[in-house]
Amino acid sequence: RIAEGTAKSVARLDEKFSIAVPGVYVCAQCEAPLFSSKSKFQHSTPWPAFSQTVTPDCVKKTPEPFQPTALKLRCAKCDAPIG
């Protein structure tokens, strides 16, 4: 399951998400399918990184207010923050 966490969870996330487990990553709040493990890749942060979503409209992307090149991701079904 994927959901945005606190700073305390970052170390556990790094360990948890570095494991390559086949399947689909779902929203932690509503369990909507978001990302396939086939699109997962290594990234410089502890958060998981994916090259594409399961469907084009399952994730809402909005620019971060003070970082125009960064995107805020939310589940399109329940609006939960996912990164």
Side-chain angles (χ1 to χ4, degrees), residues 4-78:
E4 189 172 34
T6 63
K8 293 178 184 177
S9 65
V10 170
R12 288 185 302 235
L13 282 172
D14 189 29
E15 182 180 306
K16 178 181 178 180
F17 287 126
S18 65
I19 300 168
V21 177
V24 175
Y25 289 79
V26 300
C27 174
Q29 188 166 317
C30 72
E31 297 191 358
L34 301 173
F35 305 100
S36 168
S37 60
K38 293 177 184 177
S39 68
K40 187 175 178 212
F41 64 93
Q42 290 293 339
H43 193 263
S44 60
T45 70
W47 296 100
F50 301 91
S51 58
Q52 64 185 23
T53 56
V54 172
T55 62
D57 59 349
C58 66
V59 172
K60 292 191 284 186
K61 301 172 187 174
T62 56
E64 288 280 8
F66 300 105
Q67 294 177 310
T69 58
L71 294 174
K72 182 72 175 172
L73 303 180
R74 298 183 89 73
C75 174
K77 183 177 178 183
C78 71

